[in-house]
Amino acid sequence: MMHPATELRFISEEVGFGVFARQAIPCGTITWTGDELDQRFTRDEVARLHPMCRQAVERFSYIDPAGVFVLCWDHGRYVNHSCDPNCFSAGFQFEFAIRNILAGEQLTDDYGLMNLQAPLQCRCGSENCRIVIGPDDIEHRAPGWDAMVRTSFEFIGKVDQPLWTVLQDRGEVEAVLRGDRDIPSCAFHRFQSE
Ligand SMILES: [Zn+2]
């Protein structure tokens, strides 16, 4: 489920749609969380879908740590990738703003956490664009990403959280904010196929 102060906007024929902030979203705000309306498909179930449905699932879903295809039911499935994203995920089933997001700004995350099935050409235009987003990016980049998340995670406990009660891992997040446990690594998201 996306943060309620976000909306879908058409960007261009090349990019398609994207998700934008309708108001300022401060650093630490949970911008998306998995919820019980998301549709989940095993690889076999995807293979049995009508080709047009399969295409939609392959384009708009992410693959979770168990290898399940998750198709977000709302505009969460239109969040675009950036190599300099303003939303990110630690080792939890939610994303949060890792810096202040301005009203009208596009929300972006990193598809390096989504277990891509094939490399993706990137034209995000950011200074640090990786050009190719690889399925294995998480292997090399998790330590750097964890360090990035660490600088903004504490703000989760300091800002309004409209999605807080939807969060499935609230207890663990509270334990982190109390200092009782470390922030779990984003490497949690990696699906390791046999
Ligand atoms: Zn890029």
Side-chain angles (χ1 to χ4, degrees):
M1 183 181 292
M2 282 305 296
H3 188 285
T6 60
E7 67 185 10
L8 191 63
R9 287 188 198 165
F10 182 73
I11 299 175
S12 67
E13 287 299 334
E14 189 195 1
V15 178
F17 291 87
V19 175
F20 289 78
R22 286 196 287 108
Q23 62 187 49
I25 296 178
C27 181
T29 307
I30 291 157
T31 52
W32 170 86
T33 177
D35 71 55
E36 56 207 1
L37 294 183
D38 293 334
Q39 279 185 280
R40 305 170 62 80
F41 304 89
T42 64
R43 191 171 291 275
D44 286 347
E45 286 167 341
V46 174
R48 287 197 295 269
L49 291 171
H50 183 284
M52 289 167 78
C53 296
R54 189 167 66 229
Q55 217 172 19
V57 169
E58 287 177 339
R59 174 160 183 205
F60 289 112
S61 63
Y62 69 92
I63 297 176
D64 81 359
V68 172
F69 289 67
V70 183
L71 180 63
C72 297
W73 65 275
D74 65 357
H75 52 303
R77 64 181 186 269
Y78 291 100
V79 174
N80 286 314
H81 166 92
S82 170
C83 297
D84 184 21
N86 50 23
C87 302
F88 214 84
S89 181
F92 289 117
Q93 297 286 357
F94 68 85
E95 292 188 352
F96 69 103
I98 55 171
R99 56 175 181 265
N100 291 322
I101 299 173
L102 304 173
E105 194 179 339
Q106 184 181 187
L107 278 70
T108 53
D109 59 16
D110 196 309
Y111 287 4
L113 296 183
M114 311 288 168
N115 296 302
L116 293 174
Q117 300 196 88
L120 194 74
Q121 288 291 323
C122 185
R123 285 183 288 270
C124 72
S126 79
E127 233 172 81
N128 309 317
C129 182
R130 307 203 290 278
I131 311 297
V132 176
I133 313 306
D136 300 332
D137 284 4
I138 193 166
E139 267 179 65
H140 326 293
R141 295 182 180 270
W145 286 340
D146 288 342
M148 179 179 75
V149 163
R150 213 171 292 133
T151 62
S152 44
F153 198 91
E154 61 173 308
F155 293 100
I156 290 175
K158 299 177 178 171
V159 296
D160 279 344
Q161 298 290 8
L163 293 179
W164 181 252
T165 55
V166 188
L167 233 63
Q168 285 146 1
D169 20 29
R170 296 197 288 282
E172 290 95 321
V173 178
E174 283 168 339
V176 171
L177 294 174
R178 282 197 307 270
D180 289 347
R181 59 171 289 187
D182 292 333
I183 303 169
S185 171
C186 67
F188 154 85
H189 294 284
R190 182 157 182 253
F191 165 56
Q192 282 170 297
S193 54
E194 296 307 318

